[in-house]
Amino acid sequence: MGKGTDKMYITHSEWSNDFSEGGMSFGGARSRKNTQIFRRLPFDCCSLSLQPFEHPVCTEDGIIFELVNIVPYLKKYGTNPATGEKLDAKSLVKLNFFKNANDEYHCPITLRTFNENTHIVAIKTSGNVFAYDAVERLNIKAKFWKDLMTDEPFTRKDIITIQDPHNLQNRNLAEFHYVKNELAVVDEVEEKKKRDPANNINQKGATGKILSQINMEKIEKAAVEKKKKENAAKAQGGTANKAMEAMSNKAALPYNAASYTTGKASASLTSTAVSVATTNDRVLMSHEEYMFPLIKSKGYGSIITNFGKINVELFCDQTPRTCYNFIMLAKSGYYKDVKFHRKIKNFMIQGGDPTGTGRGGESYWKENFKDEIRGKLSHNARGILSMANKGPGTNSSQFFITFKPCTHLDGKHTIFGKVVGGMEVLDKLEAVPTKEDTDIPVSPPGIIMQDVTIFVDPYQTFTERLERKRKYEEDAKTAPKKENPLDHTTWFGPTIKRDVEGGGTVGGGVGKYLAAATSKAKSNDGAGKADDLEDIPIEPKKKKTVSRGFSDFSSW
């Protein structure tokens, strides 16, 4: 009976220490045993729904909630579900957890996967979540008070502890306020479904067919009621009905309609010098302006010189206007037999001016167009294709190809391509001698751009696809609507119909004999007119022979 002994009684020491909740122990009265079970909440679960979160937010105490679950709870109770203290939705901090290739939460700095033994913290100003080891080494000890991912400044008070393996009091489910007091947010839609007796019926077999038929009847009845209301509203001929009809009959917007209007309606409202306009018409963009933002692929071409071919890649997805200008000029033969009028060794070669002087040339639109400077593009390599200009917004037809990195030109000239083949030809061009005072290649032979060939034109491809799409949409509007076979569905499946000679439709089974009867009647009708029936002898009627037994239905 004794603990660990063969004694038939409990000793005084065993009673006071192990078997008595209020017994005596060394150092004074023994505290009451904690019989409550510790239920730990995982770090990646919402403290309210107890399910893994997708849009996590947390309080300043580090208690995590799912945004979809905490907002309705705060609207109803206005308290923290875990502690019971007052809580405002504005005080919640949006958390940014990072995942690795295995779809597991980890620290973006140390790349260690989070688990139940990881000390996890979050930065209040940015919401980024890190392992405490990374923040301690790189922020606290280094006194570098900026976020390790976004460089946002923060203080030591902005460090929120999400999980501390040595202090798990705020992760104990049994201590949560809403669990103790049985508080919950009731979903009215779900409760209504639970009260519906149809949801508690096993909808299979014949029962399911009957219930589905009842539902179909309800839907049809609702559709009929809606149609009656619409017809009654149309009969009244009210202003609201006319407005609705006008809205339904409104013409569709053109494909190139902008998201903003012409402003004529507002101008006519505030000015007496402008003619009255009562409609807000959209601004119609040109096809090119509509097309440029939607180009997502690159173009390819070849510059054919008297020394060989130089294949180039055009950045149509980053500088669409400049590449479109180059492609359209090349297709029109603008660059044919044009000289490269300027070449500087270890720098660049320039061409594109039909006059050969460097002072001429015009764009595809017959006027200069603006620059397309992109921060990601740089004159940092040999063979960069860039536009020549006289200043900002003065691009025309002249361009140049670099012989070496020229990063000092970044931000001043529009880069629209690069050389992807024919570097040996570029070496030959660089070796051509020039006049010392003008940098013009020595002629003869000089450097001549015999032609520019375009292999891949994304603008033409886009235009062709757009035309096919518009034609398909127009055909879909005018084409008759096909009958849906599911509109004639019974409990046994869709109704199968087929044509019968002479008109009408019948199904299988006994109805197959109607086809023979109809065809026979049709042949009798075409034998002759009613006036000629007298000349045809009438055959005597044959006696019916009754056969015993069953055969097909032809003898019935």
Side-chain angles (χ1 to χ4, degrees):
M1 185 172 181
K3 187 176 181 181
T5 65
D6 294 335
K7 297 178 182 179
M8 299 302 294
Y9 58 90
I10 300 174
T11 62
H12 174 73
S13 60
E14 291 175 346
W15 178 262
S16 62
N17 289 302
D18 296 326
F19 294 93
S20 176
E21 294 183 355
M24 301 298 293
S25 179
F26 294 102
R30 181 180 178 181
S31 59
R32 184 178 296 273
K33 288 185 178 181
N34 185 13
T35 58
Q36 191 176 25
I37 300 174
F38 179 80
R39 299 168 59 192
R40 180 175 180 176
L41 178 70
F43 73 92
D44 59 344
C45 290
C46 170
S47 299
L48 186 57
S49 65
L50 309 182
Q51 299 295 325
F53 52 68
E54 295 182 0
H55 307 90
V57 294
C58 76
T59 63
E60 295 181 356
D61 299 333
I63 303 174
I64 302 179
F65 300 102
E66 171 66 35
L67 182 62
V68 179
N69 299 326
I70 188 61
V71 172
Y73 187 92
L74 292 179
K75 288 182 178 179
K76 185 173 182 179
Y77 299 106
T79 59
N80 189 327
T83 62
E85 300 175 356
K86 289 186 178 181
L87 181 64
D88 187 10
K90 295 181 180 179
S91 63
L92 296 175
V93 179
K94 180 183 177 183
L95 298 180
N96 300 320
F97 277 86
F98 299 90
K99 289 186 176 182
N100 56 17
N102 297 326
D103 201 33
E104 298 174 338
Y105 292 114
H106 74 132
C107 176
I109 304 302
T110 62
L111 302 181
R112 293 182 180 177
T113 305
F114 291 157
N115 55 40
E116 60 182 7
N117 298 319
T118 308
H119 192 171
I120 306 172
V121 296
I123 306 302
K124 183 178 179 180
T125 56
S126 63
N128 293 331
V129 180
F130 305 97
Y132 179 73
D133 296 341
V135 176
E136 183 182 20
R137 293 178 184 179
L138 302 178
N139 291 119
I140 299 175
K141 290 184 178 180
K143 296 183 179 180
F144 178 73
W145 301 106
K146 287 187 179 181
D147 190 277
L148 299 176
M149 295 293 292
T150 60
D151 284 341
E152 294 184 34
F154 68 94
T155 61
R156 188 155 190 164
K157 295 181 180 179
D158 294 330
I159 301 177
I160 302 174
T161 301
I162 301 298
Q163 175 180 267
D164 186 0
H166 303 291
N167 184 14
L168 298 174
Q169 293 299 324
N170 61 343
R171 312 296 299 178
N172 188 5
L173 295 177
E175 295 293 334
F176 284 176
H177 176 73
Y178 78 96
V179 174
K180 291 181 178 180
N181 297 276
E182 298 181 356
L183 302 179
V185 178
V186 179
D187 191 351
E188 296 180 358
V189 178
E190 294 295 333
E191 288 295 322
K192 189 175 180 181
K193 288 182 179 180
K194 290 180 182 179
R195 296 192 201 100
D196 189 358
N199 292 327
N200 299 323
I201 300 175
N202 186 11
Q203 299 184 8
K204 292 183 179 180
T207 305
K209 293 179 180 179
I210 295 173
L211 291 176
S212 62
Q213 184 67 18
I214 293 173
N215 292 333
M216 289 296 296
E217 291 177 357
K218 289 181 180 180
I219 295 173
E220 292 176 358
K221 187 176 180 181
V224 172
E225 293 294 334
K226 183 178 179 182
K227 190 69 176 178
K228 289 181 179 179
K229 290 181 180 179
E230 290 178 356
N231 294 336
K234 287 181 180 180
Q236 293 178 0
T239 307
N241 298 329
K242 293 181 180 179
M244 291 296 292
E245 291 180 2
M247 291 176 65
S248 61
N249 297 330
K250 189 176 181 181
L253 291 174
Y255 77 95
N256 57 343
S259 58
Y260 49 89
T261 64
T262 57
K264 292 182 179 179
S266 59
S268 64
L269 179 65
T270 58
S271 176
T272 57
V274 181
S275 57
V276 177
T278 58
T279 58
N280 284 323
D281 298 328
R282 299 283 188 92
V283 174
L284 296 181
M285 299 184 293
S286 64
H287 175 70
E288 297 168 358
E289 294 294 335
Y290 171 78
M291 173 177 58
F292 288 158
L294 302 177
I295 298 298
K296 304 299 180 184
S297 58
K298 300 183 184 297
Y300 293 91
S302 178
I303 301 175
I304 305 173
T305 68
N306 53 341
F307 287 87
K309 295 181 180 180
I310 301 176
N311 296 330
V312 295
E313 180 184 68
L314 304 176
F315 304 146
C316 301
D317 54 339
Q318 302 184 60
T319 55
R321 187 183 301 274
T322 307
C323 293
Y324 183 75
N325 173 70
F326 181 80
I327 290 175
M328 297 308 293
L329 290 177
K331 284 188 170 183
S332 64
Y334 188 85
Y335 291 126
K336 195 169 185 179
D337 297 329
V338 175
K339 293 183 178 181
F340 283 95
H341 60 272
R342 187 184 180 199
K343 186 196 75 76
I344 302 176
K345 191 175 182 180
N346 294 327
F347 182 31
M348 61 85 199
I349 181 171
Q350 182 176 338
D353 178 12
T355 64
T357 62
R359 301 183 182 90
E362 59 183 7
S363 69
Y364 172 71
W365 300 281
K366 308 299 181 182
E367 60 182 2
N368 295 337
F369 60 93
K370 61 183 180 180
D371 299 324
E372 289 180 307
I373 305 298
R374 301 291 181 264
K376 296 181 179 179
L377 302 178
S378 175
H379 300 80
N380 57 357
R382 178 181 175 84
I384 296 297
L385 204 63
S386 186
M387 291 297 293
N389 57 39
K390 302 174 184 178
T394 58
N395 298 293
S396 57
S397 63
Q398 296 188 37
F399 62 92
F400 63 89
I401 306 174
T402 61
F403 288 137
K404 61 177 293 186
C406 308
T407 54
H408 63 281
L409 300 178
D410 293 348
K412 300 177 183 178
H413 298 268
T414 301
I415 300 172
F416 67 96
K418 66 178 180 180
V419 176
V420 294
M423 282 294 185
E424 66 281 358
V425 178
L426 198 62
D427 296 337
K428 294 179 182 179
L429 300 184
E430 187 177 7
V432 174
T434 60
K435 296 180 181 180
E436 296 181 358
D437 53 344
T438 59
D439 296 326
I440 299 176
V442 175
S443 181
I447 304 174
I448 301 175
M449 192 184 338
Q450 295 176 349
D451 199 1
V452 177
T453 306
I454 301 300
F455 301 137
V456 178
D457 183 3
Y459 306 99
Q460 181 179 354
T461 304
F462 177 86
T463 304
E464 292 174 355
R465 289 180 178 176
L466 180 63
E467 291 296 331
R468 289 197 297 268
K469 180 182 177 182
R470 294 179 61 192
K471 184 178 179 181
Y472 174 79
E473 291 176 351
E474 291 177 0
D475 295 342
K477 292 179 181 178
T478 57
K481 186 178 180 181
K482 295 182 179 180
E483 184 179 3
N484 187 359
L486 296 179
D487 294 340
H488 305 284
T489 303
T490 63
W491 287 4
F492 304 101
T495 303
I496 301 175
K497 296 184 178 182
R498 58 175 179 156
D499 294 336
V500 179
E501 296 180 1
T505 58
V506 297
V510 179
K512 67 181 181 180
Y513 298 101
L514 296 177
T518 307
S519 60
K520 184 177 180 181
K522 183 177 180 181
S523 60
N524 292 335
D525 292 341
K529 297 182 181 179
D531 297 335
D532 301 332
L533 291 177
E534 297 177 356
D535 300 331
I536 301 174
I538 300 175
E539 295 181 1
K541 294 183 180 180
K542 296 181 179 180
K543 295 183 179 180
K544 295 182 180 180
T545 59
V546 180
S547 60
R548 297 181 180 180
F550 291 97
S551 60
D552 59 1
F553 293 105
S554 58
S555 61
W556 287 26

